[in-house]
Amino acid sequence: MAENLTTTVSSKTKEVLISRDRPCVIIGERINPTGRKKLAATLNEGNFDIVRRDAVAQVEAGAKILDVNVGVPGADEPALLTQAIKAVCEVTDVPLCIDTADLQALEAALKIYDGKALINSVNGEEARLESVLLLVKEYGAAVIGLCMDDDGIPPTAEARFAVARKIIERAGKLGIPAEDVVIDPLALTLGADHHAGKIALDAIEMIVAEFGVNITMGVSNISFGMPDRNAINAAFIVMTIHAGLTCPIINPLHKEVATAILAADLSMGRDEWGARWIKAYRQRLKAAG
Ligand code: THG
């Protein structure tokens, strides 16, 4: 069994530690134009009002890191991403997860970001592995490694484990320690393959046992196309946390899911005296009037 590693990310004023000894760190996913026409349209106009509002709402709902993705087709992504990051930093002080497939945008964002960012993401594809990892090294960032490569997302837990190993080893060769690599084993949708959940859970367990790294996942993908998605997401996220996931990418405004995470932390012995659970319960009572 590998020892549990601690990943540190930071903003100008705040440090966030991720490890299996601490409560889960929620990465808020809402600043992302996927499926949000209004956000995409206002981003294209250079208007960051929704971005600011989403940032504040997610932090109030318990996000400890905010994912920032402004991938709208045809836009000048380096300019848009840096402006969005500045807008978020005006209204919140949490560390950011810079979510882009555009290498120029990534570098522009790292240049203006004040702190140790989490880069989302690198994967096993040869064409990008080295170039993204060189930026991780140069800017002293942490990085999410997706368990996919030139052949797509491997169908088995063993093959995803092999991609995780490749990313962690390549990072190590470039002087990036394993604690700065957060692995995303990827959740495919249960609607297309009813084994998708089990494969992801097995991959988490294998990767944690071998490398001790932190684990993230865009959990909501598991329920895509199914009815009553948040009930599935809430059940699945509890299982992923038990398997070793430490920093889920979710929408913290989905109460069912956010509450399931708090219950999992409590059940795993990571909520001393249940203080976080009770505080969140009181907040829910207050919000309900
Ligand atoms: N792994 C990693 N990064 C990721 C993902 C992952 N980043 C992107 C994505 N997956 C996680 N983020 C989102 C953001 C939005 C949605 C899902 C995942 C989403 N949006 C709603 C929709 O499309 O219907 C609309 C949002 C709304 O109006 O609330 O589902 O897996 N490393």
Side-chain angles (χ1 to χ4, degrees):
M1 281 298 260
E3 103 183 81
N4 281 327
L5 300 176
T6 301
T7 305
T8 305
V9 293
S10 65
S11 64
K12 189 175 177 181
T13 57
K14 248 194 186 145
E15 212 169 62
V16 170
L17 271 55
I18 307 167
S19 84
R20 266 169 293 280
D21 306 326
R22 295 176 175 80
C24 278
V25 170
I26 293 176
I27 304 176
E29 73 182 12
R30 285 218 82 205
I31 302 173
N32 186 325
T34 306
R36 298 180 72 190
K37 287 208 179 95
K38 184 89 191 286
L39 174 58
T42 56
L43 281 175
N44 263 329
E45 295 160 1
N47 175 342
F48 297 93
D49 289 346
I50 298 180
V51 169
R52 286 190 199 85
R53 214 188 308 144
D54 283 345
V56 172
Q58 290 185 102
V59 172
E60 281 174 357
K64 295 287 185 281
I65 297 174
L66 293 176
D67 188 89
V68 180
N69 180 316
V70 292
V72 278
D76 175 357
E77 197 170 326
L80 213 51
L81 186 59
T82 51
Q83 288 172 293
I85 287 171
K86 285 177 184 167
V88 171
C89 292
E90 280 164 25
V91 294
T92 64
D93 61 357
V94 300
L96 301 185
C97 176
I98 302 171
D99 189 354
T100 179
D102 179 328
L103 211 58
Q104 262 96 44
L106 176 59
E107 179 148 29
L110 289 168
K111 270 206 177 102
I112 59 105
Y113 182 73
D114 195 352
K116 179 175 176 179
L118 181 58
I119 294 174
N120 191 2
S121 56
V122 71
N123 62 51
E125 277 176 64
E126 275 304 330
R128 275 178 48 105
L129 186 55
E130 197 95 356
S131 48
V132 174
L133 288 178
L134 285 171
L135 287 178
V136 174
K137 177 72 182 156
E138 183 179 349
Y139 288 89
V143 66
I144 295 174
L146 304 181
C147 292
M148 58 182 286
D149 58 19
D150 299 273
D151 300 322
I153 301 176
T156 64
E158 288 75 13
R160 289 188 208 177
F161 171 86
V163 179
R165 176 190 294 285
K166 176 180 178 180
I167 295 169
I168 292 164
E169 286 183 353
R170 192 69 66 88
K173 275 197 189 124
L174 295 172
I176 300 162
E179 61 257 32
D180 284 338
V181 182
V182 176
I183 293 293
D184 183 342
L186 295 167
L188 291 175
T189 171
L190 288 166
D193 175 4
H194 65 282
H195 297 298
K198 183 70 166 85
I199 292 166
L201 292 167
D202 288 348
I204 294 174
E205 285 182 358
M206 292 171 68
I207 293 161
V208 166
E210 180 75 10
F211 306 110
V213 292
N214 282 296
I215 304 285
T216 188
M217 197 179 267
V219 175
S220 67
N221 202 37
I222 197 76
S223 62
F224 188 78
M226 290 296 227
D228 203 1
R229 291 188 65 182
N230 285 331
I232 298 172
N233 295 347
F236 181 63
I237 202 161
V238 171
M239 295 185 211
T240 62
I241 291 166
H242 182 256
L245 172 135
T246 44
C247 46
I249 303 177
I250 61 149
N251 179 351
L253 303 179
H254 289 154
K255 291 270 185 290
E256 220 171 330
V257 178
T259 304
I261 293 172
L262 286 164
D265 281 333
L266 178 62
S267 307
M268 297 280 290
R270 297 171 190 160
D271 183 359
E272 202 175 350
W273 306 113
R276 296 171 83 250
W277 176 260
I278 291 165
K279 188 174 167 206
Y281 174 69
R282 291 199 177 125
Q283 270 172 4
R284 288 202 298 280
L285 281 188
K286 209 170 140 193

